[in-house]
Amino acid sequence: MRKMSPRITTDRLLLRPLTIDDAEAAFEWTGDDRVAQYMIYSTHESVDTTREWLRSIVTSDTRFEFGFVRRSDNKLIGSGGIRLLEDGFWEFGYNLRFDCWGQGYATEASRAMMELVRSKFGNIKLRAECAVKNTASAHVIEKCGLVFKEFGEYSSYDGKKTFRAKIFEL
């Protein structure tokens, strides 16, 4: 049986496990070049690619993945997760539909994921990174209390994109 992430309710969002039934809604951001621009995945070419991604999601006691549902209209508007790294840091990430950018949803969801892990594991170390050019994401990370630590680099899963990154810690 597949382990599922818990459900978290915030002021404006419900964070819940993603399912295969979310493929059409998720394709609204996974298939959008503007959203995928700095992501570790390349733009999904079809809903089938999004279905494959949804099937591949792994959740465990130290890895939580969520769909972000806007409570006002019950629309799936993004996804994200938080996981324990080998060095003891918890790393979180997120992405949202383009029309939902700049409205505080990423910060709200990230804070909720951080609080979930704190409630289960106590005082934790946090890390997040984003492409240097992704200043909006850097702002979200800073609003969550993390501070710039160093520069790094990351590549997309398919190796087609490589980014200079800003790494933040708390």
Side-chain angles (χ1 to χ4, degrees):
M1 185 174 155
R2 186 174 171 178
K3 183 164 180 61
M4 301 294 275
S5 291
R7 297 169 81 86
I8 305 170
T9 302
T10 69
D11 288 344
R12 300 180 299 158
L13 299 171
L14 169 65
L15 280 65
R16 60 146 174 91
L18 288 161
T19 70
I20 298 299
D21 294 338
D22 292 321
E24 295 281 340
F27 184 67
E28 290 184 39
W29 72 84
T30 62
D32 187 333
D33 288 331
R34 298 167 297 185
V35 176
Q37 181 178 4
Y38 299 117
M39 298 305 296
I40 201 163
Y41 65 86
S42 292
T43 306
H44 289 187
E45 298 296 325
S46 69
V47 174
D48 287 336
T49 306
T50 303
R51 277 190 196 94
E52 288 174 31
W53 163 63
L54 290 168
R55 281 188 197 99
S56 75
I57 293 173
V58 175
T59 299
S60 71
D61 292 332
T62 57
R63 182 183 185 110
F64 305 96
E65 299 288 338
F66 298 97
F68 305 154
V69 177
R70 187 170 47 205
R71 292 177 60 198
S72 64
D73 60 6
N74 205 35
K75 183 151 185 81
L76 181 68
I77 62 168
S79 65
I82 188 165
R83 65 187 174 131
L84 181 62
L85 302 173
E86 289 180 10
D87 65 1
F89 277 87
W90 285 85
E91 179 181 61
F92 65 93
Y94 43 82
N95 66 49
L96 295 168
R97 291 166 33 126
F98 182 76
D99 64 337
C100 294
W101 287 8
Q103 299 176 45
Y105 292 122
T107 303
E108 187 171 332
S110 296
R111 287 177 176 162
M113 292 185 296
M114 291 164 53
E115 184 53 38
L116 168 72
V117 172
R118 284 184 176 123
S119 72
K120 290 181 173 291
F121 299 98
N123 190 20
I124 58 167
K125 300 184 295 183
L126 287 159
R127 180 180 295 138
E129 71 179 291
C130 64
V132 169
K133 292 182 179 180
N134 191 350
T135 56
S137 195
H139 187 61
V140 168
I141 295 167
E142 290 170 336
K143 287 195 302 185
C144 289
L146 284 74
V147 295
F148 174 73
K149 177 75 172 171
E150 62 189 352
F151 289 103
E153 186 177 276
Y154 68 93
S155 296
S156 60
Y157 294 128
D158 61 12
K160 293 181 180 178
K161 306 182 288 187
T162 298
F163 302 98
R164 186 160 187 245
K166 289 181 86 172
I167 300 169
F168 298 83
E169 292 182 355
L170 176 66

